[in-house]
Amino acid sequence: MRDSSPNYPLTDPDAVSETAVREDRTFLGHPVGLFILFFTEMWERFSYYGMRALLKLYLVHYLFVTSRQVLQGGGGATVAGDPDQVLGWTFIRDMIGHGSAMAPGGYASIIYGWYTGLVYLTPVIGGYIADRYWGQRKAVVVGGTLMAVGHFLMAFENWFFLALLFLILGNGAFKPNISTQVGRLYSEDDPRRDGAFTIFYMGINLGAFLCTFVCGTLASTLGWHWGFGAAGVGMLLGLGVYGMGQRFLAEDSVSPQARNQLLAAAGQRLNADEWKRVLALIGLCLLNVVFWAVYEQQGNTMQSFVDDHTAWPVLFGFAMPSTWFQSFNPLFIFLLAPLLGMFWARQARTGREPSSVAKMAIGSCILGLSFIILAYGSALVTEAEPKASWVWPVLCVLFVTVGELYLSPVGLSLVSRVAPLRMVSRMMGLWFISSFLGNVLSGYIGALYENHILDLAQFFLLLMVLGVVTGLSIWMFQRPLHRLMGDPGSGRSSWG
């Protein structure tokens, strides 16, 4: 499960004033504050991914139709509804459709893409506000509160778009500032730093793994709003943990000295070598846009496919909700991340470890090729057999996750290593923007599926082509990119 916002601080490490690092108490060799942040982030991710797992299906089967499914999965009665009563719906519908009608799924796909895209854009602003005005602690509390309000507003369908606005703004304040505080618990030369971010990342995936078992199950047994309400409760639990653990956290970085340093750094001109590195990273981020557009189909068209065309098993008389599909990606991350780490270490010992850019190219190709599996599975769907085995989407996600691990964390590490030191924050912001563009594009690509412009197999083959072409493009440009970046990892193997 890719984190909703990359867990790297938006604060330039050279532009932070000295503050007290609190290590009065430790647990498992780390400051207690790390585990306060772990559980805060776990519950926040629980709320975000729990809501996201329901979002596309909620729009298609409840909000944008006149005959609404009371339960996710259609296992109950229907009630009459009027989409025009949703505040802002008429304006947004006309803006998306340009005056022509499309299927509810088409609108849902585009709205889903814009929502998940804006979730990546607002942290750029939230990090700036925290650095200059609020501080990290206030930003986290404000952001978490806004998100909790947004989740609870989802219980009132006519306020749906207002709820999304609260969630987008809250995420912008919360995400960049919770991860920044992890790094501030340690000095720059503390050998525990990498391990701390690994622990923190596990909190992200633990929340993403657990959420659908709660939110998805409640939505399928009691109703949509119970699932959204559970996401809101998760956010409140995260805020509660954060509030009780304040004394274990490092002080904020806001100070007149820090502000002056930020302004001074921003005014320095880049030299020729720094400009080359910046331009190379911009090119790489632009290539990544299509990767994210394909990757983010997991919560969009893939979720629709597993809901409409996949036969899920019945466990002890309980029909597995299709939203549980969203838990396979974080589960595979738990299982595969250590194995890939050992595999890369073995390659490094033999001098065959791919460079960072080569890994990203491999990851994009693996992502694309994974959709051959889903194209084959969807070809088995017929009028006589409208549902295929659950094995096909799960196997597809297995390889999607491998592609993610080759590209996402590697790309983040590359940006932090190659960007000019005084521009690390801004280049991380560029990574956010590439994710924003990719998510928005994912919504428009998904509309091809929802509006039946392509049949199932054709659509998944299109995703395959987009992923592979992106990977090959990154591969073709890897040597020029390495020359521009001056990346010391560029020549460490014959792979690139």
Side-chain angles (χ1 to χ4, degrees):
M1 176 67 65
R2 182 169 66 117
D3 183 11
S4 173
S5 301
N7 283 307
Y8 282 76
L10 292 179
T11 305
D12 191 322
D14 278 359
V16 177
S17 62
E18 293 184 3
T19 58
V21 177
R22 302 197 174 188
E23 295 189 65
D24 299 331
R25 293 175 58 185
T26 61
F27 180 70
L28 298 178
H30 286 273
V32 171
L34 172 64
F35 298 94
I36 298 298
L37 298 172
F38 172 97
F39 285 108
T40 303
E41 177 73 351
M42 183 196 78
W43 284 115
E44 188 274 332
R45 291 293 84 186
F46 174 96
S47 71
Y48 173 79
Y49 284 109
M51 176 270 189
R52 198 192 76 161
L54 299 174
L55 180 58
K56 174 74 179 300
L57 302 180
Y58 175 71
L59 299 180
V60 174
H61 298 303
Y62 189 89
L63 197 65
F64 293 163
V65 292
T66 55
S67 180
R68 294 172 166 172
Q69 293 181 358
V70 176
L71 303 178
Q72 186 277 314
T78 59
V79 296
D82 183 2
D84 290 338
Q85 295 300 310
V86 179
L87 182 67
W89 164 239
T90 303
F91 170 76
I92 291 175
R93 179 191 62 200
D94 294 341
M95 183 174 63
I96 292 174
H98 303 291
S100 60
M102 66 173 68
Y107 292 115
S109 177
I110 293 172
I111 290 170
Y112 175 91
W114 273 99
Y115 166 69
T116 55
L118 288 169
V119 158
Y120 287 95
L121 188 62
T122 51
V124 179
I125 302 170
Y128 175 82
I129 292 174
D131 282 344
R132 294 293 303 275
Y133 304 109
W134 286 356
Q136 286 73 41
R137 294 191 188 192
K138 181 178 179 180
V140 167
V141 172
V142 170
T145 302
L146 288 174
M147 283 191 286
V149 171
H151 286 303
F152 290 123
L153 281 176
M154 293 287 286
F156 305 94
E157 54 260 24
N158 293 344
W159 291 357
F160 170 76
F161 291 108
L162 180 63
L164 289 191
L165 179 62
F166 272 84
L167 290 167
I168 291 166
L169 294 177
N171 182 83
F174 185 98
K175 281 304 299 173
N177 296 301
I178 190 73
S179 53
T180 297
Q181 292 179 72
V182 175
R184 293 187 59 75
L185 290 170
Y186 303 86
S187 62
E188 289 189 13
D189 58 352
D190 193 322
R192 299 174 298 170
R193 283 179 67 95
D194 287 348
F197 274 99
T198 300
I199 293 171
F200 185 69
Y201 187 70
M202 297 305 285
I204 294 166
N205 286 284
L206 181 60
F209 174 72
L210 295 174
C211 65
T212 58
F213 298 118
V214 177
C215 299
T217 303
L218 287 174
S220 66
T221 55
L222 298 178
W224 298 98
H225 299 139
W226 286 88
F228 292 129
V233 171
M235 189 66 252
L236 290 179
L237 288 171
L239 281 174
V241 171
Y242 187 76
M244 290 187 294
Q246 290 288 296
R247 67 185 185 276
F248 299 111
L249 304 179
E251 299 296 331
D252 280 346
S253 62
V254 170
S255 71
Q257 178 187 0
R259 293 174 186 168
N260 291 336
Q261 289 175 330
L262 281 169
L263 291 174
Q268 296 177 15
R269 293 185 177 183
L270 297 176
N271 60 38
D273 177 67
E274 289 172 329
W275 266 117
K276 289 179 180 179
R277 284 186 276 160
V278 168
L279 291 174
L281 289 174
I282 290 173
L284 193 59
C285 286
L286 289 176
L287 289 171
N288 286 342
V289 169
V290 179
F291 174 92
W292 297 127
V294 176
Y295 174 88
E296 290 296 341
Q297 297 301 323
Q298 286 183 90
N300 189 350
T301 53
M302 290 179 71
Q303 181 61 61
S304 294
F305 177 80
V306 300
D307 189 64
D308 296 333
H309 300 294
T310 302
W312 290 101
V314 177
L315 306 174
F316 306 106
F318 174 71
M320 176 179 166
S322 67
T323 50
W324 284 20
F325 167 73
Q326 297 290 321
S327 289
F328 283 104
N329 177 253
L331 173 63
F332 289 144
I333 286 177
F334 282 128
L335 298 175
L336 295 176
L339 297 177
L340 266 181
M342 290 187 289
F343 176 64
W344 290 336
R346 182 178 178 181
Q347 285 186 316
R349 288 194 297 270
T350 60
R352 294 190 56 81
E353 183 186 9
S355 67
S356 297
V357 178
K359 283 180 181 177
M360 296 173 71
I362 293 169
S364 188
C365 288
I366 292 174
L367 171 79
L369 293 172
S370 68
F371 284 96
I372 294 177
I373 299 170
L374 209 51
Y376 175 79
S378 64
L380 302 178
V381 174
T382 63
E383 290 187 8
E385 292 289 342
K387 292 182 181 287
S389 170
W390 59 271
V391 171
W392 306 118
V394 171
L395 191 59
C396 178
V397 169
L398 172 65
F399 287 97
V400 165
T401 304
V402 175
E404 171 192 0
L405 290 171
Y406 261 92
L407 186 138
S408 183
V410 171
L412 285 167
S413 176
L414 181 67
V415 172
S416 67
R417 185 173 70 245
V418 170
L421 190 58
R422 65 181 183 276
M423 288 192 67
V424 171
S425 298
R426 278 165 282 180
M427 298 313 296
M428 284 299 172
L430 180 65
W431 186 272
F432 281 101
I433 292 172
S434 72
S435 295
F436 159 69
L437 294 173
N439 275 266
V440 172
L441 180 60
S442 76
Y444 288 94
I445 292 174
L448 300 174
Y449 172 100
E450 297 292 349
N451 292 323
H452 307 293
I453 296 174
L454 300 174
D455 66 29
L456 296 177
Q458 289 172 338
F459 177 77
F460 293 124
L461 287 174
L462 171 65
L463 297 183
M464 182 271 290
V465 171
L466 290 173
V468 171
V469 168
T470 300
L472 293 177
S473 299
I474 296 174
W475 188 275
M476 288 171 58
F477 284 103
Q478 64 170 312
R479 293 192 182 278
L481 287 171
H482 279 310
R483 283 197 298 269
L484 287 172
M485 288 187 290
D487 180 17
S490 62
R492 63 171 174 253
S493 79
S494 59
W495 288 72

